Amino acid sequence: MQPDTIVLVHGFWVTPRAWENWIAHYENKGFRVIAPPYLGFEVEVEALNADPTPIETVTVPAIVSALEKIVTELDRPPVIMGHSAGGAFTQILLDHGFGAAGVAINSAPTEGVAVVPLSQVRSTFPVLKNPANRHRAVGFDYGHWRYAFTNTFPEDQARTAYERYHIPAPGGIVWGSALANVRPGHTDTYVDYRNAGRAPLLFCSGEHDHLMPPKVQQSNAKHYKADGTTTEVTVFPGRSHLMPAQDGWQEIADHALGWALAHS
């Protein structure tokens, strides 16, 4: 029985609002769509910018636990799609046995992916430049947002996206990701790359993504070693990090859903 529900997992520096076009698009196709905010993110973008306190305390285990509770309560396994950090959480959910298929869009890496392009370093520098940011919610000014999220957008659309979607990100999680491959033991983004029971997984990458360049997803995909599992990568030309809100998003949304249904 094919999935009838799509779960959309947002990334950092944005809220579920970044999925607004996809939600309407998939609902018009007859799917139930769930785009949950992280705990404490239930208010609107404007409120989180005015008071980012809830962002400071969010953790990966809390995010994953809340997502697992949502998926567990569904009648049948859904398609799970995640953007940026949400792509890493999608991978974790699949590794834990959830979902009929997963799509990781401009995905942040899971544990063990050591590729760190210079553009990624530049994109995350506002957080990583100060160790004290591990205890703060850290936002981007417009210029940095333009570089990290919307570098191939027309100027007016990039500024509109900043005003509509941008919020600070939890510095502790960003720092944790940066240190994931130098700390001993498993981290919060650990997955079992040899899990033969994992559902099919598609990585969708933006060709000109500065924050999570295609080589990050390509390396991430190559880590999966289990026989009998499906892991693929599709690169979309001319796209930035904020693909869900970029002109032409319908192409990506339709490709992601078509792939997921064909492999469910």
Side-chain angles (χ1 to χ4, degrees), residues 63-136:
I63 291 169
V64 172
S65 177
L67 292 170
E68 289 180 348
K69 184 176 186 298
I70 290 169
V71 175
T72 300
E73 293 174 351
L74 299 175
D75 293 334
R76 67 181 84 161
V79 173
I80 304 174
M81 300 186 186
H83 173 247
S84 196
F89 303 147
T90 296
Q91 294 181 65
I92 295 169
L93 290 174
L94 264 59
D95 181 49
H96 291 181
F98 297 97
V103 181
I105 301 165
N106 298 120
S107 182
T110 44
E111 180 184 315
V113 179
V115 173
V116 185
L118 288 176
S119 68
Q120 186 180 60
V121 174
R122 178 177 171 184
S123 293
T124 55
F125 184 71
V127 182
L128 301 179
K129 68 181 180 180
N130 184 352
N133 286 338
R134 287 178 292 180
H135 309 291
R136 298 170 178 163

Side-chain angles (χ1 to χ4, degrees), residues 126-247:
V127 182
L128 301 179
K129 68 181 180 180
N130 184 352
N133 286 338
R134 287 178 292 180
H135 309 291
R136 298 170 178 163
V138 184
F140 287 159
D141 60 26
Y142 172 68
H144 213 91
W145 166 272
R146 184 85 164 95
Y147 178 82
F149 274 74
T150 56
N151 51 296
T152 63
F153 283 42
E155 174 65 22
D156 60 333
Q157 293 180 20
R159 189 167 290 279
T160 296
Y162 179 72
E163 294 171 354
R164 181 153 183 77
Y165 301 125
H166 169 266
I167 62 169
I173 295 180
V174 177
W175 265 91
S177 178
L179 298 175
N181 294 320
V182 297
R183 289 176 173 169
H186 291 315
T187 67
D188 292 338
T189 58
Y190 168 79
V191 298
D192 179 3
Y193 292 117
R194 297 186 181 275
N195 179 359
R198 194 215 69 207
L201 172 63
L202 171 67
F203 289 90
C204 292
S205 301
E207 178 189 16
H208 299 304
D209 183 356
H210 284 161
L211 183 57
M212 297 294 169
K215 63 177 64 177
V216 174
Q217 286 89 58
Q218 290 160 356
S219 177
N220 201 156
K222 289 178 181 177
H223 277 66
Y224 285 99
K225 304 295 185 182
D227 293 336
T229 57
T230 301
T231 309
E232 297 182 7
V233 181
T234 299
V235 179
F236 290 88
R239 307 304 170 91
S240 305
H241 186 67
L242 196 62
M243 287 204 298
Q246 187 169 9
D247 281 351

Side-chain angles (χ1 to χ4, degrees), residues 29-54:
K29 291 179 177 291
F31 289 89
R32 178 187 182 190
V33 182
I34 302 173
Y38 301 148
L39 295 176
F41 287 44
E42 295 86 353
V43 298
E44 293 294 341
V45 166
E46 294 77 12
L48 284 170
N49 278 310
D51 178 16
T53 304

